[in-house]
Amino acid sequence: MLKRFRPTSYRARYPRWLVGRPLLLTASALCSLGDAMFGYSQGCIGSAFIQPSFLKRMYGVQDISLERIAKGDIEVNEYIVGITVACLNVTAFVAALVSANVCDVLGRRAAMRIGALLLFISAFMQTASPNLEVLVIGRSIQGLGVGFLSMTVPVIQAEIAPGHARGVFVTIENLFLNAGFSLSTWVGYAFYSYMPSEMAWRGSYIVFTGTTLVLLVGTVFLPETPRWLIKNGFHQEGLATLADLQDASAMRDEDVNRTYKEIVSAIEFEHQQGGDSTWTEIFTQYTRRTVMAVTSQMFAQLNGINAILYFLPENLIRAGFDVPKSLLYTGVSSTMLIVGIIPTIYLVDTLGRRPLLIIGGIGMALCLAAVGGLQFHVDNLESTSPQLSSAAKGIFACICLYLAFFAFSWGPVP
């Protein structure tokens, strides 16, 4: 059914003055902006959970105060909170499965545009949400957008990147995701001054709406990947796009033509093997590769990162900080996601993936163990204990180190 909408023509919409390295970097940055919006959304909801006006509006909590929030006395059903958070992940999973076919048939550019449109709609809904039902629907739509972008963006990055720098391009994509989360924490801290107004939490979503609009408009000028163009019969357009991504006068360049011939040969080989692999072939003929791919992505999510990020302000409050400091320290710790990934940009193509994963995994395990031990110690202290402050700072330091190890390894590498 979807194949009837397969494009029959292609026209590049990017300005000619952008051709060359600027086009390559702009396309990569624009794609990465989609990941940045995923990271930004995590920080938005995390900061909102400790806002009195948000809890009153969404969960009907009456006479809520910062003191009650600091004590954990908010009287909100934990299952409802879980649904509010998890609905995004469920719809993202569904969209990621669907988007694979959309990406192959309609093109990478079209799939990314659909994801950006879904994100914009969801951001607008969450900004104006009058109740929890609308918020959950908005987050569910946001999950669809995240699913499309998380599936499409890595494909675009891999297909436009020069072969010798493919690892760097994929790492830069994760850098943007981390930067999006960090930005949201600082935006949340900045809008905190608007309390008790609802602008204290709606402000972050207003910024989210504006940024997703930039992403949506940007997809209009995004070039299609050379591989998709060549595979779908647009050989001349694919060759021209290859040249435009490198240099304005490179249509006859030796490197461009060699890359073009490699893509054509790879596509012809796929056709000789029966075309695209089925799900059955993936798990039977490529079992080891499939298991490695699936488990690496699985452990990238099961290492505790989502529990830390989604509830980071709440975790810091539980550690012993008050609400303003928890928001401030959330912003400070989030910058470790940016700091930690910088060495990986230079090491991923030289040191290799496996050593980074081993080092990062060991570091994250030690940090989580320390956080758990210190939190157990805090939970057994009196609120007036002089040890509370030092234990809270220890938890904060371990969280910072954990985020740095994650950004160094299990964030970008899988």
Side-chain angles (χ1 to χ4, degrees):
M1 179 180 177
L2 191 62
K3 292 182 179 180
R4 70 177 65 178
F5 299 104
R6 188 188 296 273
T8 56
S9 62
Y10 170 77
R11 181 168 65 91
R13 294 186 176 89
Y14 47 83
R16 297 305 303 173
W17 54 264
L18 201 60
V19 163
R21 187 173 179 81
L23 177 62
L24 176 64
L25 297 178
T26 301
S28 178
L30 183 63
C31 291
S32 298
L33 182 60
D35 277 308
M37 292 301 93
F38 178 31
Y40 187 94
S41 67
Q42 287 180 299
C44 278
I45 196 65
S47 299
F49 277 135
I50 60 171
Q51 300 278 3
S53 58
F54 177 84
L55 295 172
K56 182 178 180 180
R57 166 70 67 177
M58 298 301 163
Y59 299 102
V61 181
Q62 301 299 321
D63 301 322
I64 188 70
S65 64
L66 294 179
E67 290 74 20
R68 284 183 61 188
I69 293 175
K71 294 177 181 178
D73 181 25
I74 57 176
E75 299 177 355
V76 175
N77 189 314
E78 293 180 354
Y79 292 102
I80 302 298
V81 174
I83 292 172
T84 306
V85 173
C87 63
L88 184 151
N89 301 83
V90 173
T91 54
F93 172 76
V94 174
L97 293 176
V98 174
S99 63
N101 194 32
V102 175
C103 194
D104 284 339
V105 176
L106 301 185
R108 287 47 164 148
R109 184 173 64 171
M112 185 169 173
R113 190 172 302 152
I114 292 171
L117 178 61
L118 290 169
L119 275 189
F120 174 71
I121 294 172
S122 71
F124 183 81
M125 289 182 65
Q126 291 174 87
T127 301
S129 55
N131 51 48
L132 183 61
E133 289 78 7
V134 175
L135 181 74
V136 170
I137 293 173
R139 281 185 59 79
S140 298
I141 296 174
Q142 179 183 332
L144 296 176
V146 167
F148 265 89
L149 292 177
S150 62
M151 183 72 182
T152 307
V153 166
V155 175
I156 297 178
Q157 294 281 35
E159 292 186 353
I160 67 173
H164 66 277
R166 196 157 288 138
V168 173
F169 271 69
V170 176
T171 305
I172 289 176
E173 168 201 340
N174 203 267
L175 171 63
F176 272 73
L177 189 153
N178 295 346
F181 176 82
S182 183
L183 175 64
S184 71
T185 61
W186 287 110
V187 170
Y189 180 67
F191 278 100
Y192 175 77
S193 61
Y194 284 89
M195 283 187 60
S197 167
E198 290 189 352
M199 184 59 70
W201 62 270
R202 292 190 191 271
S204 296
Y205 284 104
I206 291 174
V207 175
F208 186 31
T209 305
T211 313
T212 53
L213 180 60
V214 172
L215 176 65
L216 179 59
V217 173
T219 58
V220 175
F221 305 99
L222 184 72
E224 185 55 82
T225 69
R227 178 180 173 82
W228 185 89
L229 289 170
I230 296 169
K231 186 175 182 179
N232 286 271
F234 303 106
H235 286 259
Q236 193 62 30
E237 292 85 347
L239 178 59
T241 303
L242 267 176
D244 287 348
L245 287 168
Q246 296 187 32
D247 187 273
S249 59
M251 275 289 285
R252 297 183 180 179
D253 184 83
E254 182 179 341
D255 290 337
V256 171
N257 280 279
R258 183 173 61 252
T259 303
Y260 169 76
K261 292 176 181 178
E262 290 174 354
I263 294 174
V264 172
S265 298
I267 293 172
E268 289 177 349
F269 178 77
E270 290 175 5
H271 285 308
Q272 292 173 3
Q273 298 298 312
D276 295 333
S277 298
T278 64
W279 286 105
T280 302
E281 291 174 339
I282 289 176
F283 284 97
T284 55
Q285 297 184 19
Y286 309 102
T287 305
R288 187 171 184 273
R289 292 186 180 184
T290 302
V291 170
M292 288 179 60
V294 171
T295 53
S296 63
Q297 292 294 332
M298 182 178 70
F299 286 120
Q301 300 300 315
L302 295 179
N303 53 38
I305 187 63
N306 287 317
I308 293 289
L309 293 185
Y310 275 122
F311 302 103
L312 186 51
E314 287 187 67
N315 289 333
L316 291 175
I317 287 176
R318 188 183 169 199
F321 297 106
D322 57 23
V323 173
K325 280 189 177 180
S326 72
L327 287 172
L328 173 61
Y329 288 169
T330 296
V332 174
S333 60
S334 70
T335 58
M336 299 304 295
L337 290 169
I338 301 175
V339 173
I341 201 174
I342 292 175
T344 309
I345 295 176
Y346 299 98
L347 295 175
V348 67
D349 284 323
T350 55
L351 185 62
R353 278 67 163 167
R354 190 167 179 266
L356 296 181
L357 292 176
I358 293 173
I359 295 170
I362 294 173
M364 291 166 64
L366 293 175
C367 290
L368 280 182
V371 169
L374 287 170
Q375 187 62 60
F376 179 79
H377 178 59
V378 167
D379 292 342
N380 288 281
L381 291 175
E382 297 292 335
S383 59
T384 57
S385 173
Q387 299 180 24
L388 188 61
S389 176
S390 57
K393 291 177 181 177
I395 291 175
F396 169 67
C398 289
I399 289 177
C400 287
L401 288 173
Y402 169 84
L403 294 177
F405 276 116
F406 174 80
F408 172 76
S409 57
W410 284 93
V413 174

